[in-house]
């Protein structure tokens, strides 16, 4: 679940799109208009909590994970 405030001056909006693109299902991207960095819960309160909990209920916690080190940074720089 990627949550990003559209008025975030600390983390670029493009990072949210990239993380969403790279994420496996289930996945969700929630862009919050007018919201600054780390202010989503302050702005959305109970709706924020409900959306996060609803998403967590859809996760298959028994699924086998395919964990591997990243091969590039968010800026596309090769690593490793």
């Amino acid at each position: 679940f990627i949550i990003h405030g559209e008025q975030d001056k600390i983390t670029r909006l493009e990072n949210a799109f990239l993380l969403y693109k790279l994420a496996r299902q289930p996945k969700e991207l929630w862009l919050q208009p007018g919201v600054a960095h780390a202010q989503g819960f302050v702005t959305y309160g109970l709706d924020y909590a409900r959306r996060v909990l609803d998403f967590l209920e859809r996760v298959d916690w028994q699924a086998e994970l395919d964990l591997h080190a990243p091969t590039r940074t968010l800026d596309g720089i090769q690593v490793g």
Side-chain angles (χ1 to χ4, degrees):
F1 195 2
I2 309 299
I3 303 169
H4 194 89
E6 290 183 343
Q7 297 303 313
D8 189 332
K9 303 293 187 212
I10 297 172
T11 305
R12 297 185 332 225
L13 184 59
E14 293 83 11
N15 289 352
F17 289 112
L18 179 59
L19 289 171
Y20 180 78
K21 178 182 174 183
L22 296 174
R24 294 182 299 165
Q25 292 292 343
K27 63 183 182 178
E28 184 176 333
L29 176 60
W30 181 17
L31 299 178
Q32 301 172 329
V35 176
H37 185 78
Q39 295 301 304
F41 185 75
V42 173
T43 303
Y44 286 94
L46 291 177
D47 188 43
Y48 185 104
R50 179 192 57 78
R51 288 182 74 158
V52 170
L53 292 173
D54 287 348
F55 175 80
L56 293 175
E57 286 181 7
R58 295 193 311 267
V59 173
D60 179 2
W61 297 102
Q62 302 303 315
E64 188 169 323
L65 297 178
D66 178 22
L67 300 177
H68 57 280
T71 58
R72 61 191 163 109
T73 67
L74 292 176
D75 291 326
I77 300 169
Q78 292 290 101
V79 296

